[in-house]
Amino acid sequence: AQKITQTQPGMFVQEKEAVTLDCTYDTSDQSYGLFWYKQPSSGEMIFLIYQGSYDEQNATEGRYSLNFQKARKSANLVISASQLGDSAMYFCAMREGLIQGAQKLVFGQGTRLTINP
Amino acid sequence: EPEVTQTPSHQVTQMGQEVILRCVPISNHLYFYWYRQILGQKVEFLVSFYNNEISEKSEIFDDQFSVERPDGSNFTLKIRSTKLEDSAMYFCASKGTGVNTEAFFGQGTRLTVV
């Protein structure tokens, strides 16, 4: 079974609009972390935002916010006031076992976001 | 701002040859990782390294792969006898010890096996 599911292979949004990128996850751990990374066409992986499973507030970082719904096991990324430079691949990832273990990341398939002028 | 550095950015090698991909993690980090991304696909975990030993490896990380931290700063991935299907982007990442700290990724090495 997929640990991280991103159901939107591609999204097209007009500049300045808000966009929500979906992510659902599957884990039996009580302690886990959820991450979003941006991968522009140049290929590097850029960290955007983190949400811990015990965090009561939704994480926010500038124009990025994470809509964390624990009971539904979803961690959607919301980008407000989209810009042309937001066009990129976006990956949702999960880290299980926050305290011990390898603390590796498991990634979803990604969503390619295109911002239209 | 500290960053993870990978060299080379692109390597072309003949099938059957050995390659070494190099990484310099962030200096005070203690967890090191290699991930792989085949073109157009998701990023896959290969191996994690902590306290000078492998802490976890995936089924992809078979006997042709090895990792080393030879001098306390570099972190290398060796692929012993490359196959066409090893062509991918290889990312090195490092992480500090905090439970909610993110992994910082290098810019990647694009390996092309011909």
Side-chain angles (χ1 to χ4, degrees):
Chain A
Q2 294 282 344
K3 291 255 184 188
I4 296 285
T5 302
Q6 294 180 253
T7 56
Q8 307 150 311
M11 290 273 288
F12 294 85
V13 172
Q14 284 298 119
E15 191 179 7
K16 298 179 186 171
E17 287 184 354
V19 57
T20 298
L21 305 182
D22 294 342
C23 173
T24 57
Y25 59 91
D26 181 29
T27 182
S28 55
D29 278 11
Q30 296 301 308
S31 297
Y32 53 90
L34 297 154
F35 300 78
W36 278 91
Y37 283 84
K38 173 184 178 181
Q39 187 179 42
S41 56
S42 49
E44 71 268 32
M45 296 287 286
I46 303 167
F47 166 74
L48 295 179
I49 196 166
Y50 165 84
Q51 180 85 42
S53 58
Y54 291 118
D55 294 341
E56 295 186 355
Q57 305 262 7
N58 284 342
T60 61
E61 287 285 349
R63 293 187 299 112
Y64 304 109
S65 60
L66 202 151
N67 183 0
F68 181 47
Q69 297 188 44
K70 194 169 180 177
R72 300 173 76 175
K73 294 190 173 178
S74 76
N76 298 339
L77 176 70
V78 180
I79 306 174
S80 63
S82 57
Q83 302 170 356
L84 296 178
D86 293 334
S87 293
M89 195 75 164
Y90 288 80
F91 290 99
C92 179
M94 178 171 64
R95 175 186 295 152
E96 294 177 300
L98 291 182
I99 307 299
Q100 58 194 4
Q103 301 187 31
K104 67 177 188 280
L105 291 172
V106 177
F107 286 84
Q109 290 287 114
T111 295
R112 183 167 298 283
L113 176 64
T114 303
I115 307 298
N116 295 317
Chain B
E1 188 175 310
E3 59 180 15
V4 176
T5 306
Q6 289 185 245
T7 53
S9 56
H10 190 188
Q11 173 127 19
V12 181
T13 190
Q14 292 228 318
M15 191 169 56
Q17 295 294 305
E18 175 182 286
V19 295
I20 297 176
L21 309 184
R22 302 181 192 279
C23 170
V24 179
I26 294 172
S27 60
N28 62 346
H29 283 182
L30 298 179
Y31 292 87
F32 312 112
Y33 306 87
W34 284 100
Y35 291 85
R36 179 181 83 174
Q37 185 182 31
I38 294 171
L39 186 65
Q41 298 188 21
K42 67 179 178 182
V43 179
E44 300 173 290
F45 168 76
L46 290 178
V47 66
S48 61
F49 195 86
Y50 173 72
N51 203 24
N52 287 319
E53 60 183 17
I54 291 174
S55 49
E56 187 173 343
K57 57 184 181 180
S58 72
E59 62 274 9
I60 302 168
F61 194 88
D62 60 22
D63 291 344
Q64 70 164 148
F65 292 92
S66 62
V67 290
E68 214 175 34
R69 191 158 155 80
D71 56 11
S73 61
N74 290 287
F75 180 51
T76 61
L77 174 70
K78 183 191 290 186
I79 309 175
R80 251 179 285 283
S81 178
T82 50
K83 298 178 277 203
L84 295 176
E85 53 264 39
D86 294 328
S87 295
M89 183 77 105
Y90 288 81
F91 290 103
C92 173
S94 71
K95 193 186 89 63
T97 53
V99 296
N100 62 349
T101 53
E102 70 270 26
F104 289 82
F105 282 74
Q107 78 277 23
T109 293
R110 181 164 296 287
L111 177 66
T112 304
V113 182
V114 297

